[in-house]
Each structure stands twice: as structure tokens, then as C-alpha cells.
Amino acid sequence: MFRFNPSHVLALALVLLPSAVVAAPAPPEPPRVLLVVSSEGRDQGKSRPGFEMDEFAQAWLILKRNGFAIDVASPRGGAVEADKYNPAEAFNAALLADQQAVAKLAATLPTEQLRAADYQGVLVIGGKGAMFDLPRDIALQKTIASIWEQGGVVAAVCHGPAALAEVRLDNGRPLVQGRTMTGFTEEEETQFGKRWAKEFSFQLEPRMRELGAHWQEAPLMMPKVVVDGRLLTGQNPFSTAALADAFVRASGRTPAAREPWRDERSMVLVEQHLQRRDDSAARQLAERSTDFHVELIGMLGYVQLQGAADGTQVSDALAIMQLARPHMQEPRLDVAIADAHWRLGRTTQAREQLLALLEKQPQLDEAKALLARMQP
């Protein structure tokens, strides 16, 4: 006669149902996003402009740090070439040490093979190459539109918003119509686009305005990010890190803590200097000059002077140049400082600075030319 034995039943259950006891649920797949770069580049931007490695590196590193799986695509697919960049810059060095990132740049996905349903968002990297191949890439336009329509995040930095020019939604309206955005400005193009801008099929800022976008911008080459719902745009390369952080937030995550790169710290220092107009920024720079990109600060003041249209802008440019000057030995910066003083009506001071400079460097043509312009 069969007798019920509870211990036998328990043993049998453990044999027959091991998976119910020990199996753990599979971890969720990380959210997948897309970085888009131009295929146009050749010879480090000498014969054809490409994408900006500084922008790609910062975007990749921040998105990866925040747990995203990243695909990289370009119109033609395959290997892509960046414009000339500094491989020793911290973010570029970190990117080049990342074997996955290097491999993906060597074998980008062709945009015609993309499936929008695979991605929670897309971020378009800038560089002047973006003005050539991205606006005419129909497959990319469809992918961006589909990511938007399915509730994804659409972001672009610098010249990257050129990829949005022909993007139309299901209702036929341009994606940017009625939305607030930014990108590489006409003022910035005037200063930095002399070689290639004449070959663009359109100029970025005017085109976005024509499409009905509400354009915003910061002073020349200063960082700016505009968030309009799920549309995120950055003005120039120095806006990339903040844009990537905004992308993380728009995706429903809190950006992981990180140490700002020296370009970021430098721009914050400049903004602080212009707001406070005291010696606190100069003290920080003197105490920790290696924490900042002094040459970038000097260049920023120099180019802002070239585009200055009134006394306030001249004064700001002068303040930035004077912040960098104790840490730079660059005669052209000295000439620009004298030029700023002259434009602010300080002719005697400007002339004295130029004469002192010419005593040390009598062949400095820029100083001679400015001194000649100052003659009554």
C-alpha cells in the first residue's frame, strides 16, 4: 500500500523544479541611442570637412557613463574621418583609449540600414561636413522623424542641426517649426566658416528661421543649450557636454556625477569673470592654471573682439583677453588688447602698448598696421 511521505515529495519538487528556485530574471537591456556623424571628411578636414572629434568624444563618454548602449551611423557607413583635433585633450584621449568607440568609428552603420524602433534617441554631431551630406540623407531624415514620432529624444550640436532641415513629421510640418532651438550662428560662421561656408547649400541659422524655428544664441563661441521638450540643441562645440547631460535628463535619467573637462571649467570661469568684474577669476587662474585651457580663453577674447559691434562687446572681449594674458606669450593677443583699448577711446594707452611691443618685436606687422590706423 502506498504511503504518503512528505520528505519524498519535497525531494521530487527540488529535482523537477530547479529553475524556479535558482534562476534569476535577465537584466534589462540598456537603452540604445544613436550618434550620427558626417561621412564627408577627408585628410583631417583639409580636402573635405568632416565631423568634430571633440564633440563626438564628449557625447560618447557622457552617454556611455550613464548606461546607454550606443550605435554610430553615417550616411555612407564604414570608416569616417574627423577634422584635425588634439588627441592629447582629456576627452579625446579617453575616447581613443575606448576600443569599442574606435571600432564603431571605423565601421559606422549606414543610415539606410537603421531601424528607428531600436533607439530611444538620436544625437547628431557637428562639424562642417554635416552641412554637406546630412541634409540630403533621406534615410536619416526618416529615422529622425520616426524616433521623434515614437516619443524619442532628438538632439544636435553645432552644425548638427543641419540634419533637421528636411525632417518632416507625419503631419507634413518641419520638425523645427514653432520650436525653440540653437546651433552654429551666423556670427560664428562669419568668423570660422570662411573656407567652406560658400559651398553650403544653405546657412544654418537663416534656414532654421525660415522653417519657423525660434532661434536663440549666446555670445560668440560661448556655450548654450536649448531644451524644447524632446528637442535639444547646442550652439557650438563648447555646448556639447551640457547637451549630452541634457540628453540624459530628457531620457528620464539623472546624469552621473563627473569631473568637468578643462574646456568646461574655462567657459564657466569666463562667464564668472564677465558677471563679477572682480579679480576672483584671475586668482583662480593664477592658482590653478593647469585646470583651465588658457589658450582657449585667449582665443575666445580675440575672436569676440573681431565680431564686436558695440562698446559693451568690445569691453567684454578685452576683459576675457586680459584674463588670459598673464599666462600667454602671444604678440597677436597684445595687439588685440591694444586694439580694444583704442576702440574704447583709450588712444594714448593703446599707442603706448603698441610702441612698447614694437621695441621688442620691430617686425610685428600687425602692430605696425594698427599704429598706422591710429594716426590722426
Side-chain angles (χ1 to χ4, degrees):
M1 180 178 178
F2 178 78
R3 293 182 178 180
F4 176 76
N5 188 327
S7 65
H8 293 167
V9 174
L10 177 61
L12 182 63
L14 291 174
V15 171
L16 296 178
L17 302 174
S19 60
V21 176
V22 298
E29 288 290 326
R32 184 165 295 277
V33 295
L34 183 66
L35 289 180
V36 176
V37 295
S38 170
S39 294
E40 195 79 6
R42 297 290 182 273
D43 308 317
Q44 294 185 313
K46 295 177 182 177
S47 59
R48 291 300 294 174
F51 69 95
E52 288 285 341
M53 181 64 85
D54 289 7
E55 297 172 17
F56 180 86
Q58 293 177 59
W60 171 279
L61 293 170
I62 290 174
L63 294 179
K64 183 175 181 180
R65 183 181 183 88
N66 283 277
F68 291 91
I70 308 169
D71 285 343
V72 182
S74 68
R76 286 196 293 265
V80 288
E81 189 165 348
D83 289 345
K84 187 176 180 180
Y85 64 94
N86 179 9
E89 196 64 53
F91 41 75
N92 290 330
L95 188 283
L96 295 173
D98 187 324
Q99 294 183 358
Q100 182 188 35
V102 172
K104 294 211 170 192
L105 283 174
T108 63
L109 302 173
T111 53
E112 64 182 4
Q113 295 181 10
L114 297 175
R115 284 179 7 106
D118 292 339
Y119 302 105
Q120 294 189 15
V122 55
L123 195 162
V124 185
I125 300 299
K128 293 180 176 60
M131 296 295 297
F132 290 95
D133 57 355
L134 300 191
R136 61 173 183 259
D137 187 339
I138 296 174
L140 177 60
Q141 295 163 22
K142 292 180 178 179
T143 298
I144 292 174
S146 295
I147 289 174
W148 178 269
E149 297 284 10
Q150 70 194 25
V153 178
V154 173
V157 65
C158 195
H159 287 93
L164 308 180
E166 299 301 326
V167 175
R168 299 295 183 270
L169 303 180
D170 289 347
N171 59 14
R173 295 179 58 185
L175 170 61
V176 301
Q177 184 178 342
R179 299 197 172 273
T180 305
M181 65 174 298
T182 189
F184 208 64
T185 69
E186 272 296 273
E187 184 183 15
E188 289 167 340
E189 203 70 77
T190 298
Q191 292 294 325
F192 298 100
K194 295 180 176 64
R195 179 176 181 185
W196 297 110
K198 60 181 179 294
E199 298 184 28
F200 295 166
S201 59
F202 59 84
Q203 299 298 308
L204 184 59
E205 178 185 341
R207 181 58 175 274
M208 295 299 112
R209 291 181 183 276
E210 290 169 4
L211 289 169
H214 304 305
W215 186 267
Q216 293 183 355
E217 62 186 68
L220 180 73
M221 297 310 288
M222 294 296 289
K224 184 174 183 63
V225 171
V226 175
V227 176
D228 187 342
R230 293 180 287 111
L231 179 64
L232 320 176
T233 46
Q235 181 171 322
N236 49 46
F238 306 116
S239 311
T240 306
L243 178 70
D245 284 338
F247 189 101
V248 174
R249 285 190 291 271
S251 301
R253 298 187 167 205
T254 299
R258 62 181 179 85
E259 186 68 23
W261 290 297
R262 66 173 186 158
D263 284 8
E264 291 179 89
R265 292 193 295 267
S266 298
M267 290 299 184
V268 170
L269 189 72
V270 167
E271 290 175 331
Q272 172 192 321
H273 186 53
L274 294 178
Q275 290 170 2
R276 297 182 181 177
R277 299 289 181 167
D278 58 17
D279 63 352
S280 59
R283 286 201 310 271
Q284 291 181 57
L285 197 55
E287 292 168 1
R288 298 182 286 110
S289 61
T290 56
D291 288 350
F292 301 96
H293 194 163
V294 175
E295 293 77 12
L296 172 61
I297 296 173
M299 178 277 294
L300 178 65
Y302 182 89
V303 298
Q304 285 199 2
L305 180 66
Q306 311 313 307
D310 56 40
T312 299
Q313 293 177 349
V314 172
S315 181
D316 286 350
L318 176 60
I320 298 170
M321 291 187 291
Q322 289 176 323
L323 180 63
R325 177 61 186 85
H327 309 278
M328 291 181 65
Q329 298 299 320
E330 174 51 66
R332 289 175 297 178
L333 187 65
D334 292 327
V335 174
I337 289 173
D339 188 12
H341 281 302
W342 178 49
R343 292 169 66 174
L344 291 171
R346 305 164 189 160
T347 304
T348 300
Q349 182 177 353
R351 184 179 289 113
E352 289 176 353
Q353 289 182 348
L354 290 172
L355 291 173
L357 185 58
L358 285 168
E359 282 186 12
K360 298 177 182 178
Q361 301 191 47
Q363 303 305 315
L364 189 59
D365 291 339
E366 292 91 340
K368 292 179 182 179
L370 179 57
L371 195 59
R373 286 165 50 204
M374 293 169 54
Q375 299 304 320

